[in-house]
Amino acid sequence: MNHPQSTKDQKPKGLNAFVLMFIIIIIMTILTYIVPAGKYERVDNNGRTVVDPESFQFVESSPVGFLEMFNSVHLGMLEGASIILFVFLFGGALGIMQKTGAIDSFIKVTAAKFGKQEYILIPIFVFIFACLGSLIGSAEDTLVYIAIIIPLTMALGMDALTGFAIVMLGTLATGFTSGITNPFNIGVAQTIAELPMYSGMGYRIIVFIVFYILTVAYIYRHAKKVKKNPELGIYGKFKREETVKIDLSFKMSTRHLLALIVLLLNFIALVVGVIKFQWYISEIGGIFLLSSIIMSLICGMRLNDMADGFIGGAREMVEGALIIGFAQAILVITTTGGLIDTILYYVASIVSSLPASINAIGMFLLQLCLNFLVPSGSGQAALTMPIMTPLADLIGVSRQTAVLAFQFGDGISNMVIPTSGVLLAGLAIAGIPFAKWVKWVFPYFLIQTALAIILLIIAHAMNYGPF
């Protein structure tokens, strides 16, 4: 995946995620010597492991030794191996798809077709980027389109912020937050929660529609104000007086059209396979790999280029995949030291007297804050869902609602946290100061947070499941 600027160069200078995770590993190891160990009995309930809420008892402590603390990293990698390898496989397949140029061609032909119709352009492009985020988990790979969309919005009398918001709010705030079939947040979270892969899709489509309408309305309102008074615009690196040429004559090649049809068929097969044949991460990774190879063959790619695309795509996933392993290492320590059930016991004791719908909101707000520390969606799922899943069982919240709370917390906060590498990289490409962006997007953040709380209350009221 080739970006105009390296995302590595754009990341904020703060505490590295792996440093933070290892600090947590050290803290948890120390706590095994301080916090009393406890244990709940686990029972099998229709194929899933659940906690018996009446079975908690304190047991003899088993502190984690110094060498065991370091061993936990390898053990964590082993525990999370199936998810880690799925992330690499999917990333490789996505890398091949990007290298075909079909998605890039689709963006350009849409710009050519609707380039002079700004009232149609905003909802169409927001929908495209929202689908990329919600269906295949696009994030860093959408940065390249900022340099395409901003000149287009500038040419239509809008500003750079409009173009940037189309890409970022579409991909992250709408796409990642709804996560219809996003393998990196919903896929990982549901796997850990022992839910059927991509179950509850119908409600997430409703979430997608709600956030899509909000995003289009918010961007459209700003664009309309800027067209009326250009002085209100935020132009970043771009000069308002610049004449930007858009290639309105761009035509999509037949090869790219056929490749996109294959991608569409891939999603149809995915939905049918998950619902009818209970496909899981192996089958999902396999169907994406197969589709990416067919797309590359249609586009006439050489075998070496396909391999390069796969390796490049997998390389983009190294950080997120390793964070999953480190998060699992924390789980290894808390389990070995008997901490996880003690934590569950005390947290459940505190919140059990509250209405379950409020507990779901509390889960969401907790995930919202944790994303500041662990901005990786898959990493945050691996860190928090092993605790949130049994906690949901104990306090009367469905596991599917707990996953939804995680999704909302992960997706919504991506728009305002200074630790989001994708956001910071995108702002650098557009030349928009972080402070200006936060000032503009903060009302949107508050509205989306309020909508998320309402959607969580509805999810709990209807016992969003299957369980």
Side-chain angles (χ1 to χ4, degrees), residues 108-134:
K108 288 179 179 178
V109 79
T110 306
K113 188 171 181 63
F114 300 101
K116 292 298 181 184
Q117 304 174 57
E118 63 266 31
Y119 302 118
I120 299 176
L121 181 141
I122 290 175
I124 285 178
F125 271 113
V126 170
F127 182 76
I128 290 170
F129 288 112
C131 285
L132 289 174
S134 191

Side-chain angles (χ1 to χ4, degrees), residues 339-388:
L339 291 183
I340 191 166
D341 283 4
T342 302
I343 294 170
L344 280 174
Y345 174 72
Y346 284 118
V347 172
S349 299
I350 293 170
V351 300
S352 59
S353 60
L354 301 173
S357 58
I358 295 178
N359 292 332
I361 294 168
M363 286 181 168
F364 159 58
L365 296 176
L366 177 61
Q367 298 282 12
L368 201 67
C369 297
L370 283 173
N371 199 36
F372 180 89
L373 301 174
V374 188
S376 163
S378 52
Q380 188 178 336
L383 177 65
T384 61
M385 289 314 298
I387 296 176
M388 292 299 175

